[in-house]
């Protein structure tokens, strides 16, 4: 393993906590930025995050905890961002130090609302970071299963294969298997789109549709994802790889999926606002739906599932009626 490379994790949620846990297996020290100072103090005393994955115990000597994002960025060579995409811009506005000489990896599954860009493109166009210094960490992998140390798989994508290998090696462990990819754009769009299909799966469940329909919905979802990503970034990729199909399936079916949970509540009759208030974590797919729908106005891919979810979440259409029409469009 490459020595003397310093890592920082940006974020205080479940995925940031899971990534910090993985890195601590392979590193003597990491920087970890959380904006919540109370959570930092709790971690220092009780060795666990009080709000997310509280069963995970940390060796505090390995954590350079800070509520100053500039301190974490200054410390690290490789920075892993793991915060909801809706809050990325507000966190980056706090930066007074440069990102230019840093390697940035995104573990964020969404679109930056202010620019309507996936995170890698946002760092490239807004901060001038070259794509060879930008990467993506994607699943199929739920933070909750990392906490339980259940066997999980990660795909690490970067334009520079050596940098992808460095991150993959530092995240690997007894229960974490990693592989690398050069499809940075495709894997990041897939990580964003699968959350929309998971909301669709949740809505279907909430409406009372069974496993037979769910299987048709997911098979149509992967084909729809393929069409969308091909429009955005055409290159040779196998959509059945775990970074695409595998991540879609785990997000669409898992009891840990917050997007499926959100969709299930919508299907059961919750309003968008009440469903969001009920959940303690952000459902990235809500924001992704609007971004994907608007992006596709220019691309023109055939996306009946995205269109259906958009009409329910943003146009206030009846979930029952929309899904009745959607069933006629699937095969």
């Amino acid at each position: 393993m490459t020595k003397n490379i310093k890592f920082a994790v940006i974020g205080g949620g479940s995925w940031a906590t899971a990534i910090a846990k993985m890195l601590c297996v392979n590193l003597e020290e990491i920087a970890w930025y959380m904006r919540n100072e109370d959570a930092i103090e709790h971690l220092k005393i009780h060795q666990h995050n009080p709000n997310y994955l509280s069963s995970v115990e940390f060796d505090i000597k390995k954590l350079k905890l800070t509520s100053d994002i500039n301190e974490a960025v200054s410390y690290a060579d490789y920075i892993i961002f793991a915060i909801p995409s809706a809050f990325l811009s507000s966190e980056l506005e706090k930066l007074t130090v440069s990102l230019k000489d840093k390697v940035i990896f995104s573990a964020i599954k969404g679109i930056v609302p202010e620019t309507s860009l996936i995170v890698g493109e946002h760092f490239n166009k807004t901060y001038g970071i070259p794509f060879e210094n930008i990467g993506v960490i994607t699943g199929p992998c739920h933070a909750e299963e990392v906490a339980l140390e259940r066997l999980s798989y990660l795909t690490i994508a970067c334009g520079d294969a050596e940098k992808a290998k460095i991150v993959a090696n530092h995240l690997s462990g007894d229960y974490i298997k990693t592989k690398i990819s050069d499809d940075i754009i495709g894997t990041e769009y897939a990580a964003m789109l699968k959350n929309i299909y998971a909301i669709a799966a949740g809505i279907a469940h909430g409406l009372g549709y069974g496993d037979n329909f769910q299987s048709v919905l997911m098979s149509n979802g992967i084909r729809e994802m393929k069409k969308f990503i091909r429009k955005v970034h055409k290159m040779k990729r196998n959509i059945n790889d775990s970074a695409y199909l595998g991540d879609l399936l785990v997000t669409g079916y898992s009891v840990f999926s917050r997007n499926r949970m959100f969709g299930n509540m919508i299907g059961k009759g919750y309003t968008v606002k009440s469903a969001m208030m009920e959940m303690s974590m952000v459902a990235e797919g809500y924001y992704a739906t609007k971004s994907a729908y608007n992006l596709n106005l220019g691309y023109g891919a055939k996306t009946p599932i995205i269109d259906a979810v958009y009409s329910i979440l943003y146009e206030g259409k009846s979930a029952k009626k929309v899904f009745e029409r959607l069933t006629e469009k699937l095969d």
Side-chain angles (χ1 to χ4, degrees):
M1 187 175 293
T2 308
K3 293 183 178 180
N4 302 322
I5 292 179
K6 294 181 179 180
F7 278 78
V9 178
I10 308 297
S14 57
W15 197 214
T17 305
I19 289 170
K21 172 181 168 69
M22 290 182 252
L23 289 174
C24 283
V25 172
N26 297 309
L27 289 164
E28 289 303 310
E29 182 182 68
I30 66 167
W32 188 359
Y33 163 75
M34 296 181 179
R35 61 180 179 174
N36 187 332
E37 292 186 8
D38 290 339
I40 290 175
E41 291 308 310
H42 186 99
L43 248 168
K44 288 178 178 177
I45 297 168
H46 300 288
Q47 290 82 51
H48 67 86
N49 187 336
N51 302 315
Y52 302 94
L53 305 188
S54 56
S55 64
V56 176
E57 291 194 5
F58 288 92
D59 179 350
I60 297 303
K61 296 191 294 294
K62 289 192 170 190
L63 300 179
K64 187 177 178 64
L65 294 162
T66 179
S67 59
D68 181 356
I69 192 171
N70 291 287
E71 184 179 355
V73 169
S74 297
Y75 167 89
D77 307 300
Y78 281 60
I79 305 166
I80 299 175
F81 283 84
I83 55 179
S85 59
F87 307 136
L88 179 62
S89 287
S90 60
E91 290 299 323
L92 291 174
E93 284 172 2
K94 300 174 184 177
L95 281 176
T96 57
V97 298
S98 176
L99 291 170
K100 284 290 178 68
D101 60 342
K102 307 295 182 180
V103 178
I104 307 294
F105 271 76
S106 168
I108 301 170
K109 285 33 175 217
I111 291 276
V112 181
E114 291 81 358
T115 57
S116 295
L117 298 171
I118 53 174
V119 176
E121 290 178 330
H122 180 78
F123 276 111
N124 174 256
K125 293 184 178 178
T126 307
Y127 293 90
I129 298 170
F131 276 114
E132 59 266 26
N133 285 345
I134 296 171
V136 178
I137 300 169
T138 188
C141 185
H142 276 306
E144 291 81 0
E145 292 203 354
V146 173
L148 295 168
E149 299 191 358
R150 291 178 178 169
L151 182 61
S152 301
Y153 293 74
L154 292 173
T155 299
I156 317 299
C158 184
D160 184 330
E162 287 305 311
K163 293 186 176 82
K165 287 177 184 175
I166 287 169
V167 173
N169 288 340
H170 282 84
L171 292 173
S172 295
D174 292 342
Y175 55 92
I176 301 292
K177 296 188 181 298
T178 60
K179 71 174 186 177
I180 67 169
S181 167
D182 62 352
D183 185 15
I184 177 175
I185 303 295
T187 53
E188 193 166 3
Y189 268 102
M192 179 265 284
L193 291 169
K194 53 102 178 185
N195 287 331
I196 305 172
Y197 301 124
I199 290 178
I203 292 173
H205 185 266
L207 289 169
Y209 288 89
D211 292 343
N212 294 334
F213 177 75
Q214 292 279 6
S215 67
V216 172
L217 183 66
M218 289 293 101
S219 64
N220 277 263
I222 194 62
R223 298 200 301 272
E224 186 172 303
M225 179 189 287
K226 181 179 181 180
K227 292 172 187 174
F228 188 103
I229 296 175
R230 185 188 289 160
K231 289 278 189 179
V232 176
H233 182 61
K234 191 172 183 178
M235 68 172 284
K236 187 177 180 181
R237 63 174 63 86
N238 184 356
I239 204 72
N240 295 321
D241 277 355
S242 57
Y244 314 97
L245 177 58
D247 209 9
L248 170 65
L249 292 176
V250 74
T251 309
Y253 286 125
S254 176
V255 295
F256 294 125
S257 172
R258 67 194 70 171
N259 289 284
R260 179 186 167 91
M261 183 191 305
F262 175 73
N264 187 49
M265 294 168 76
I266 298 296
K268 287 183 180 297
Y270 282 71
T271 64
V272 169
K273 186 175 181 180
S274 61
M276 285 183 159
M277 289 176 66
E278 190 85 13
M279 294 179 64
S280 62
M281 296 183 287
V282 175
E284 289 275 21
Y286 171 73
Y287 303 101
T289 299
K290 185 176 183 180
S291 297
Y293 179 86
N294 288 333
L295 279 170
N296 196 45
L297 293 176
Y299 292 124
K302 190 177 179 182
T303 56
I305 302 174
I306 293 173
D307 297 347
V309 175
Y310 178 85
S311 69
I312 295 166
L313 299 185
Y314 289 93
E315 296 177 343
K317 300 286 179 65
S318 161
K320 184 175 185 293
K321 291 179 180 178
V322 168
F323 265 67
E324 284 174 355
R325 290 192 293 271
L326 179 61
T327 61
E328 299 301 319
K329 299 176 183 178
L330 305 181
D331 54 40

